[in-house]
Structure formats: C-alpha cells, structure tokens
Amino acid sequence: MSSVLADLRSDTVTTPTAEMRGAMASAAVGDDVYGEDPTVIALQAELARLTGFEAGLFMPSGTMTNQVAIALHTRRGEEVICAEGSHIYEWELGMMATFSGVVPRFVPAPLGVPAPEDVRLAVRRSVHQSPSGMISLENTHNKAGGTVVPLDTLAGIREVATREGLPLHLDGARVFNAAAALDVPVSEITRHFDTVSVCLSKGLGAPVGSVLLGSQAAMARAHRYRKMMGGGMRQAGVLAAAALVALRDGPARLPADHRRARVLAGALVDAGYAVNLEAVQTNIVYATLPGAAERVAAWAERGVLANALGHDSVRFVLHHQIGDEALDRAIAVLTA
C-alpha cells in the first residue's frame, strides 16, 4: 500500500494533537478507581456541566458506557426498545444479552429517526412477552448515515418514556455532531434523557474515552458496573487531559467536517455512485456500490482508506485531520 493520503475509515483514527500530548505529559493524576484522579474529576464535571447532568463517569469506550447504562436501567429478561440499526445492537457484540440478560425490541427508523408513536407501540406489558425495560436512542445515528434526530421527536419520545414509566438513554457517541447540525447547545438534546453516553474519541478527536452521564446516584451504581467490565483505569488522568482539550476545541471544528462530508457526497454522486444525499447530515457518507470490499482494497493501494460495511456498502467519515487539500486528493482517487 502507498502512503496514506486520507484515512476516511472513521473519526476514531485521529491522532493526539501536540497540545493534547503536552496536556497528557503534565496531567495531575490519582487513582480513578478510588475516585481520586483530579483530571478525570475535572473532565467528568465539565461534561456534566455542558450536558446538564449531576455527574459523569469516565470509561474506556462508548460500548462500555452504553452497556453500563443498560445494566443500570434494566432487569434480566427485559427488552430494550431501540431504533433499527442501533449501535448498541449492531456493533456491541451481543453485550446487552451477555452482561445484562436483555434483548432488543426494534422500532422502524427511517433515516435513523423513530416516530414517538412507534416507540409507544413497542412497549410490552403482557405476561406472555418480555416486558419493556428501557428506551434507547442514538443521535447521530451511525448506520443511517450520521443522521440527526429532530428536537421535536426527542420531546415526543421523552413524553412516551415518562408516560410509560421507562428510563430513556441516549447513545450520544456523536451528540456534539448532532448539536452542531441543529445549531443548538448540546444540553438542548441531552436534557430529555436519564442517562447519556458521550464519546470523546470520535468527532471531538480525543485518543481514548467516553463518559456516561446521569444522576449522582446512578453514577455511583455505574462505578460498580464499570469495575465489573474491567473499566477501572487507575491513573486515567493522562487520558482525561487529552479529552479535556478535545472537549474544549473539538465542537467548533465539527461544522467544517460536516461541510466536507457534503462535498465528498456530491463528488461521489457526480462520479456515478449511489449516495442518499438526504442522509448526509453530519460527518458520515455511505455509498452503495457492488464489490465494496474489492473497491476499498483498490483505493487503499492508492492511499485512501474507507470502510466496507457490507458487500455493497462503503462508509466514509470526515474528521478534523482531513482538511480541504486532503479531501481533494481523496476525491481524485475515489472518482478516478
């Protein structure tokens, strides 16, 4: 393979900036399993402030924060109501069943957006069926194309959750992308939820980590589940320091990522690729083409990396380390 011109596989591929590395080198640290790492405490507090929650808990990954939330909200044998294509099912390796003993109940979600009435109809109370334990949304919705759940839909599903007495969780791996697309503070999205998972190593650009947010009482319980899953990281301040830089600087860069995604999508369409432009709302572009794996391998030989996520589907993800010049070089390869 030639040298890499553009890595468009995911926004998780970014490397720490010089400022992040400096912050990591000088970070004040302590034992986070004992709750004594000052930099982790600062990260949790800042993200809780931005999202409107009482507390947060730093973990190695978004899969862990989501699965800890599921463990918090459910009992064995219950169902998790979620949009079709949700990350908690598609890419978290059956962990909701393995760890919490629960199963998904899917709701139709055109462009990643479930209708509140469909969520209500998915609630199960019969003695003959698995009872509903919680509702989970994903915003932005990865598999639908990085699509954004509108604020009125969030409010409607919040009403359903309240009326049905069910906890509502947000897989907000890219919730800052959603906030940028809606041009609102992130708290306008997160205020509808009982718990929220925020990934710091995707669009925001940190090297590692996610934070689960909720009440003080919920995070105290979450600490035990994190420990059970192997997520106690001891002197984790070296990671939290980079995440604080990402949290400070990352949100302002997201609109540029979204603009470049639209540029890429338009170029792919002009070159004859099938792209649903309606789904290109943030930093993700899906193209449909036969022989996806073979095409991705050929592009890699020319220095452009993408992700084949099926026999006829390729995903491209924009991030802050793909500027306009790198994108132009990638488009030249992809459309040749």
Side-chain angles (χ1 to χ4, degrees):
M1 186 178 72
S2 62
S3 61
V4 175
L5 301 176
D7 191 341
L8 299 168
R9 291 173 298 170
S10 177
D11 44 8
T12 61
V13 301
T14 58
T15 56
T17 63
E19 187 172 3
M20 288 180 189
R21 293 179 187 273
M24 295 169 77
S26 61
V29 298
D31 193 319
D32 183 48
V33 175
Y34 289 114
E36 296 173 353
D37 189 301
T39 310
V40 171
I41 291 169
L43 172 64
Q44 293 168 168
E46 177 61 7
L47 201 44
R49 183 188 68 81
L50 290 171
T51 55
F53 284 95
E54 290 180 354
L57 190 65
F58 186 49
M59 303 190 201
S61 71
T63 292
M64 186 175 288
T65 47
N66 281 332
Q67 293 302 322
V68 167
I70 290 171
L72 284 173
H73 293 312
T74 61
R75 296 177 298 178
R76 300 185 72 80
E78 291 184 333
E79 291 185 342
V80 176
I81 298 170
C82 57
E84 59 187 1
S86 290
H87 192 281
I88 59 171
Y89 173 76
E90 295 285 349
W91 287 305
E92 297 188 12
L93 291 88
M95 189 61 169
M96 69 167 72
T98 302
F99 189 81
S100 296
V102 297
V103 293
R105 167 72 63 177
F106 297 114
V107 174
L111 290 177
V113 181
E117 179 61 10
D118 286 338
V119 173
R120 186 190 68 81
L121 292 173
V123 176
R124 296 292 184 266
R125 302 292 187 200
S126 170
V127 69
H128 301 290
Q129 294 179 292
S130 298
S132 301
M134 66 179 287
I135 301 167
S136 180
L137 299 181
E138 185 177 334
N139 196 15
T140 64
H141 192 294
N142 180 349
K143 196 173 184 184
T147 53
V148 179
V149 182
L151 295 176
D152 59 347
T153 300
L154 295 179
I157 295 174
R158 173 72 263 175
E159 290 180 9
V160 171
T162 300
R163 188 164 58 246
E164 297 291 343
L166 293 173
L168 181 60
H169 171 68
L170 175 64
D171 175 358
R174 296 182 175 90
V175 68
F176 279 90
N177 290 87
L182 292 169
D183 195 22
V184 298
V186 71
S187 58
E188 280 299 299
I189 297 172
T190 57
R191 67 185 181 89
H192 296 287
F193 296 87
D194 298 295
T195 53
V196 171
S197 165
V198 176
C199 188
L200 297 153
S201 63
K202 292 189 169 70
L204 297 180
V208 178
S210 292
V211 173
L212 181 64
L213 299 141
S215 67
Q216 290 279 5
M219 292 307 98
R221 293 177 56 219
H223 192 281
R224 181 179 296 274
Y225 287 124
R226 184 185 71 173
K227 180 73 169 172
M228 290 173 71
M229 292 185 188
M233 295 188 289
R234 304 300 177 181
Q235 287 73 35
V238 292
L239 300 176
L244 277 166
V245 175
L247 188 58
R248 184 194 68 201
D249 298 341
R253 294 191 294 246
L254 298 177
D257 295 341
H258 299 179
R259 174 183 60 79
R260 292 185 183 105
R262 293 190 295 270
V263 170
L264 174 60
L268 293 173
V269 169
D270 290 345
Y273 293 98
V275 177
N276 181 358
L277 294 178
E278 190 179 359
V280 183
Q281 300 175 13
T282 54
N283 67 322
I284 298 175
V285 179
Y286 278 89
T288 302
L289 67 162
E294 291 78 10
R295 296 297 292 274
V296 164
W299 291 332
E301 289 296 324
R302 299 185 60 194
V304 177
L305 307 183
N307 236 337
L309 295 180
H311 68 281
D312 64 350
S313 179
V314 176
R315 188 187 73 172
F316 308 88
V317 185
L318 279 297
H319 51 78
H320 77 95
Q321 291 178 342
I322 298 292
D324 291 334
E325 291 184 6
L327 180 59
D328 288 343
R329 291 194 295 268
I331 288 172
V333 171
L334 296 171
T335 60

